[in-house]
Amino acid sequence: MSLTPDIVIAGLLTVGIFTFLWRDNRVFRAIEHLYIGVTAAQALVIGVGNVNRLAVNPILTGNIIYIISFIAGAMIYFNFSKRYSYLARYPVALLVGVMAGLTIRGQTAGIIYGQSAATAQLTLIAKDLLTSANNIITVTGVIAALSYFIFARKAAGHVKYLSAYGKYVIMSALGSAFGAAVLVRNALLGGRMLFLLQTDFIYLLPIIMVLFAIWVLYDKRRAQKQQ
Amino acid sequence: MVWYRRELPLTITFVLGILISSDYFLVFAPLQKTAVTFNDFATIVATFALGLGAASLTLMHSKKIIDRSGEWYHSVLLVASLLSVVAVGLIFGVPSDAFQFQFKNIYSPLEATVFSLLAFYLLTTAYRALRIRTVETTVFLVSALAVVMMNAPVTEFLWGGFTNIGSWVLNVPNTAGQRGILIGAAIGAVALAIRTILGRETGYLGGK
Amino acid sequence: MKTTTINYLIYVLIFLAVSVPILVPLGLPLVVSKPTRDVYEAIQSLPANSVVVLDVTYDPINEVEQWPMTLALMEHLFTRPVKIVLVSLVHVGGVVYTLRALNIVDKHGKVYGQDYVYLGYFAGVEAAMSAFVSDMHTLAKTDFYGTPIDQIPMMKNIRTGKDINLFITLTTAYTSSYIGLIQAPFKMPMAIATVSVSIPEVRAYYNAGQVVGFLNGIRGAAEYEKLINRPYWGLGLMDAISVTHVILIGFVVLGNIQYFYNRRKSGGK
């Protein structure tokens, strides 16, 4: 048995989070705060390294133009100043302008054109009946789903039926996403249990389960007394 | 309202938006080079923004500690953990054993476990909410179950038809719905981008 | 039975459903799906000296699904006579996972700088994606370790999206941006190895021919491990996944039986 500090720390933090399943408690809230602190720190550390690599080093090696990006980036921290917070708008405007331009590029070419072209290329009268039926469902489904978005509130007459069909098609897509999400969530839990059961932390689990049972019973007794 | 607080940022957004979007549609070398440069600048500015979260959290929780308000001792833990990880990362570097240790044994288990709680809530939700009440919920339920059965190897083992049904649901009605959603969302995104470039959407500027 | 009691019973059942198959493997067979096989074939059929970009970009929330995929894909790529450009374009966690994977996988004699390189993480999501395929040298300037990109032998002829033969992304989000900003402008062969929740959307891209193949979360990881014959926790979790999925189906059926019974009891209201 080799209960190394890394396994004990990771295991105790995991079990601490799982206590939330019984109820919110101080241990969970403490670990939650630890998590928030550590998460924020990751981005900052990697960000500092990147600023060094992408802005500072090029400036020091003669690419003066990167001073603009360095100053613009640093200005974002004026957000915390009450008097000069408007200075943070310039880097945000730079980001928003670039992102807006990229959105027009990316969404038009990749999605609007790409997906529309793929739908239009489906043959409605194919070699076999099943393919034809599938293609007809897909093409009519796409048109119906789009009409649901466009005419959702104002659908009248025959368009109402098209929008209703579109609604069912969209519910199928959302249902598929839910079914897929089941795999993700179960995999996440499986990963944690894999750690708890396949490392030496398994030897601590009986003690932890006993302590947990004592806590649950104590809680229930306290609740009964209060009643 | 002075021009440099509002009009200047809106002008920056307009110029860059037009520059970046037109670069895609026009073949003009100086335009392309300028677009690439500003694209690069945007990644650097976004890199600076990575520290905003940490800075904001530190300020907010430091105030809580100084004022001794609420559960301020949890704030002590938050600020201490943040500063320790930053110190380790900046002094020893990301590839170092110390940084990798906290990533593997503190950050990674915490994040994975917090989100693994959703597995429990998903099942209780499925038990309570997935009912055959209306046509819409039935379609939702059937699609969800088809995908669930397709993903589980045991159902393939019992009957290969589950995979075929799941594949059909994903390839036909799901694809139709997803395409509708994607195209609709893309049209909406392009419309919002155009409005932003033209200065009609100013939410990103914050206050006055 | 009280609602909270039922909830706690469900929690205990899920714990058991996940734990028991881990402790006592069932050994259920796994069929490799076509999209996974397409990714495998896309890598396998690459000619010598092809350029492959592997974008490792996820955070610990998705580690359980994407870490085994990272190892499996890297293991496979390092057996092929291709140039590998590693990068992280969306999530900061990709940096640590890339470094860790490079320490673990067998590189089959490949040399850093000549056969593979890690360019690091770039913030800005869409801005980073667009900058990457527009001009990698302007974006990256150096590799992750600080070596100027002009001094890295393999990067001399790799500059834009036109030089990439296959782009594999281990992303968890922004798939439409990858398609719009990287795949579409260059008609680049792209494979997506992503979490299961994104698969319904990725299917639409796959069916449109915009993506050559995809890996479906932990199941895709398990299938790929089977294809390259390197079992890891992807295959190890499949039994637990099977049991939890069957339990979910059971609870949905039970819930609906209860619903219809209650409705009948209350006169169809």
Side-chain angles (χ1 to χ4, degrees), chain C residues 241-253:
Chain C
I241 296 292
S242 287
V243 176
T244 49
H245 277 51
V246 167
I247 284 177
L248 178 119
I249 295 167
F251 269 102
V252 168
V253 169

Side-chain angles (χ1 to χ4, degrees), chain A residues 122-139, chain B residues 168 172:
Chain A
L122 292 173
T123 49
L124 299 180
I125 303 169
K127 282 183 185 167
D128 63 293
L129 198 61
L130 184 63
T131 310
S132 296
N134 289 343
N135 289 349
I136 289 167
I137 294 171
T138 306
V139 171
Chain B
W168 182 85
V172 183

Side-chain angles (χ1 to χ4, degrees), chain C residues 102-125:
Chain C
L102 285 174
N103 277 339
I104 292 172
V105 296
D106 179 2
K107 297 185 191 62
H108 297 271
K110 286 203 182 324
V111 175
Y112 186 87
Q114 287 177 8
D115 303 302
Y116 71 100
V117 68
Y118 180 41
L119 298 181
Y121 165 76
F122 302 99
V125 189

Side-chain angles (χ1 to χ4, degrees), chain B residues 62-130:
Chain B
S62 300
K63 191 171 184 313
K64 255 183 128 176
I65 296 166
I66 292 165
D67 295 342
R68 297 280 195 274
S69 60
E71 290 182 331
W72 61 271
Y73 37 89
H74 286 152
S75 296
V76 171
L77 182 60
L78 189 151
V79 173
S81 61
L82 196 156
L83 293 176
S84 323
V85 172
V86 169
V88 163
L90 295 181
I91 294 169
F92 299 109
V94 171
S96 67
D97 288 342
F99 190 84
Q100 297 283 327
F101 179 91
Q102 66 79 28
F103 190 98
K104 193 177 171 204
N105 301 301
I106 300 175
Y107 176 45
S108 185
L110 280 175
E111 186 155 283
T113 314
V114 163
F115 287 95
S116 74
L117 293 176
L118 290 167
F120 301 96
Y121 304 130
L122 195 85
L123 193 55
T124 50
T125 306
Y127 172 64
R128 295 212 153 73
L130 287 186

